Amino acid sequence: MAVSKDKTVWFCKNCGNESTKWMGRCPACGEWNTMVESVVATGKPYRNQPARQASGNRPVHLKEIDSSAECRLSLGMGEIDRLLGGGIVRGSLVLVGGEPGIGKSTLSLQIPLFSPGLKTLYVSGEESARQVKMRADRLGGDDSNCFIFSETDMGNIIAQAESLRPDLMVVDSVQTMFSANVESSAGSVTQIKEVTSMLLHFAKVSGIPVILIGHITKDGYIAGPKILEHIVDVVLQFEGDNKGSYRILRSIKNRFGSTSELAVFEMTGKGLREVTNPSEMLIPMHEEGLSGTAICATLDGLRPFLFEVQALVSTAAYGTAQRSATGFDVRRLNMLLAVLEKRAGFKLNMKDVFLNMAGGMRISDPACDLAVVCAVLSSNFDFAIQPDICFAGEVGLSGEIRPVNQTERRVTEAARLGFKKIYISSFSSLDSGIKGIETVRVPDVPALVRTLFKG
């Protein structure tokens, strides 16, 4: 039998493509400077060996498989259960990624503390058992059924998990774990692939769901090869500003549910608090009668919510007009200002324009265009928009107001929150009005100005 030996290979961090030499550009995905070096064991251990004996596993005819609903486990947090599609599926592997300090470890520890009905094995590769205990005391909850194991060797972790037979296992984090089968340091591409494959095999064979925590790179991608996201069943992205209090958990991949869902949390002194109605934290929190604000009815995935757009327009103090946007694409802001000047005749080229999305939100929904335009004009005219009015529409380069998707869902959410009037496109496919709210249809920006600022 051939003796295995080590060799050096190069992996692409983006797609996992393997190469025998370094390349500036990955031939598989086309990304530049993504190749990293790794040492792997090679050889031909299966040469001239007899065929493996047949195991108890065999192909099953499709009609013999039970088509009843997959059994799911509740994690004790309604927002996460909803994000996963009704709870975590037995035998599934869930990857939670996010920036350092965003709250991944807090979230992963709150799950066993808030679901004492599940026997949970919490594996920490970054903290000692005493440190985890200190954090658990701060978070509160019921720790009667939570087992802490501070270890990084996957062989010991799998052995302890098979002995304990928990209902759920949490591993924090994949970058700190290593397998003795691979001769490379923890966190390398080879180790991450091996560790994830071992956890996937353990989850599928035992039926125990595993939640895996992963760090992300400075580019916002989960650290390690792209193949890591293909191996797991569910990928959740934890987003938010470390300086702010609100966090968003977004579903990027879900084999057992929808990827058009998100959950909102607020970071408090006692951990993460579920925000069941995100609109409550994003609507105005100031006195009425202030100019430069407008409410937008946006949609993130399938979840509608309303938030406040704030604008400040003032005369340029240094000769050159400034353009600044927080939570909004500044290039799109410049486009909207150009539309206001070209199509509606507003001279804003010598005025500073500052834009802010309330609550630290980052908005890419084009339906926010109409609210941005109204907030800018409100500040420019020093004219306050009534607090019971909201907006949902995309602004085109010719000044027309274009319809947006899921208009009925946005209007219904606005009516539920007590808004009396919403401005939408004249070309919207909304068939009939929604009870309790008036829909004002406007075809372009000049018509919007005549209707909204007629006072």
Side-chain angles (χ1 to χ4, degrees):
M1 183 179 67
V3 179
S4 63
K5 58 182 180 179
D6 294 339
K7 74 171 185 177
T8 299
V9 296
W10 295 83
F11 286 98
C12 174
K13 294 188 296 184
N14 186 57
C15 66
N17 182 60
E18 180 180 339
S19 175
T20 57
K21 61 181 180 179
W22 181 86
M23 297 182 180
R25 185 179 185 182
C26 175
C29 64
E31 292 293 326
W32 289 91
N33 299 323
T34 57
M35 306 297 286
V36 293
E37 186 178 12
S38 181
V39 178
V40 297
T42 185
K44 301 178 180 179
Y46 298 109
R47 176 181 292 181
N48 299 327
Q49 288 190 1
R52 293 184 178 181
Q53 297 294 327
S55 62
N57 192 17
R58 62 177 182 83
V60 181
H61 197 282
L62 184 61
K63 66 180 181 181
E64 299 178 10
I65 302 175
D66 185 10
S67 61
S68 60
E70 184 69 38
C71 180
R72 295 176 181 262
L73 300 174
S74 174
L75 298 179
M77 303 179 73
E79 289 296 290
I80 298 182
D81 287 344
R82 180 183 57 80
L83 189 64
L84 293 173
I88 191 168
V89 176
R90 292 185 182 274
S92 62
L93 184 59
V94 179
L95 176 63
V96 180
E99 296 178 353
I102 201 70
K104 303 184 301 297
S105 297
T106 299
L107 178 67
S108 62
L109 186 56
Q110 279 189 229
I111 290 175
L113 295 178
F114 287 5
S115 54
L118 299 178
K119 181 196 290 186
T120 305
L121 175 61
Y122 185 92
V123 181
S124 176
E126 300 178 343
E127 299 174 291
S128 65
R130 185 180 296 273
Q131 291 172 327
V132 176
K133 173 62 176 176
M134 292 171 58
R135 187 151 47 88
D137 292 340
R138 177 176 59 86
L139 298 176
D142 189 349
D143 58 359
S144 59
N145 216 4
C146 180
F147 296 83
I148 307 298
F149 188 37
S150 180
E151 180 59 83
T152 58
D153 188 344
M154 283 306 303
N156 295 339
I157 294 172
I158 298 296
Q160 292 295 330
E162 291 176 345
S163 175
L164 185 62
R165 299 296 300 176
D167 300 317
L168 174 68
M169 186 166 76
V170 180
V171 179
D172 183 16
S173 64
V174 63
Q175 280 80 18
T176 61
M177 302 297 159
F178 75 93
S179 170
N181 299 331
V182 178
E183 296 181 359
S184 60
S185 60
S188 65
V189 173
T190 310
Q191 281 286 6
I192 291 177
K193 290 174 63 177
E194 178 68 17
V195 166
T196 308
S197 298
M198 292 177 67
L199 289 172
L200 179 68
H201 181 265
F202 168 76
K204 300 304 178 185
V205 172
S206 65
I208 299 173
V210 178
I211 297 178
L212 189 59
I213 307 299
H215 301 301
I216 65 173
T217 64
K218 62 181 180 180
D219 299 324
Y221 301 104
I222 296 176
K226 197 68 176 177
I227 195 174
L228 178 63
E229 299 181 30
H230 296 290
I231 294 176
V232 301
D233 298 312
V234 181
V235 179
L236 304 179
Q237 186 84 6
F238 217 16
E239 304 173 357
D241 186 359
N242 291 339
K243 299 179 181 178
S245 59
Y246 293 107
R247 307 285 190 269
I248 293 178
L249 188 62
R250 192 186 307 274
S251 176
I252 298 178
K253 171 188 177 182
N254 192 350
R255 287 175 177 162
F256 314 112
S258 172
T259 56
S260 302
E261 293 288 350
L262 61 86
V264 181
F265 298 89
E266 180 185 8
M267 179 63 78
T268 66
K270 294 185 177 180
L272 293 165
R273 181 185 69 87
E274 297 176 275
V275 180
T276 55
N277 186 8
S279 300
E280 293 180 355
M281 71 179 186
L282 301 172
I283 55 179
M285 298 180 182
H286 51 70
E287 297 180 358
E288 297 181 6
L290 295 180
S291 62
T293 62
I295 307 298
C296 174
T298 188
L299 200 70
D300 199 317
L302 297 176
R303 186 166 191 174
F305 57 91
L306 282 79
F307 71 98
E308 184 182 58
V309 178
Q310 302 171 341
L312 177 63
V313 179
S314 61
T315 303
Y318 304 103
T320 303
Q322 301 182 63
R323 301 287 187 263
S324 177
T326 303
F328 191 77
D329 189 355
V330 69
R331 293 171 298 181
R332 191 161 187 86
L333 172 62
N334 290 329
M335 184 204 77
L336 295 176
L337 295 178
V339 170
L340 286 176
E341 183 167 349
K342 178 71 175 180
R343 305 299 180 185
F346 296 104
K347 302 300 181 182
L348 300 173
N349 58 335
M350 293 303 297
K351 293 188 176 181
D352 294 336
V353 179
F354 303 95
L355 190 69
N356 178 55
M357 304 290 115
M361 298 289 292
R362 286 195 166 274
I363 301 299
S364 58
D365 187 359
C368 186
D369 289 353
L370 198 57
V372 169
V373 167
C374 292
V376 169
L377 294 178
S378 171
S379 179
N380 185 52
F381 297 148
D382 198 18
F383 181 93
I385 300 175
Q386 296 181 15
D388 58 355
I389 297 178
C390 59
F391 307 88
E394 179 184 357
V395 177
L397 289 178
S398 61
E400 82 280 9
I401 298 177
R402 306 172 62 87
V404 293
N405 63 331
Q406 304 283 344
T407 302
E408 183 176 355
R409 191 184 294 269
R410 303 171 194 261
V411 177
T412 303
E413 177 70 7
R416 188 182 70 84
L417 293 176
F419 286 85
K420 301 301 182 184
K421 187 182 297 185
I422 182 171
Y423 283 75
I424 61 175
S425 171
S426 297
F427 311 102
S428 176
S429 59
L430 186 66
D431 296 331
S432 59
I434 305 298
K435 184 179 180 181
I437 189 171
E438 177 188 356
T439 55
V440 181
R441 298 173 181 265
V442 285
D444 50 32
V445 173
L448 170 70
V449 174
R450 291 192 301 267
T451 304
L452 183 61
F453 300 100
K454 60 183 178 181

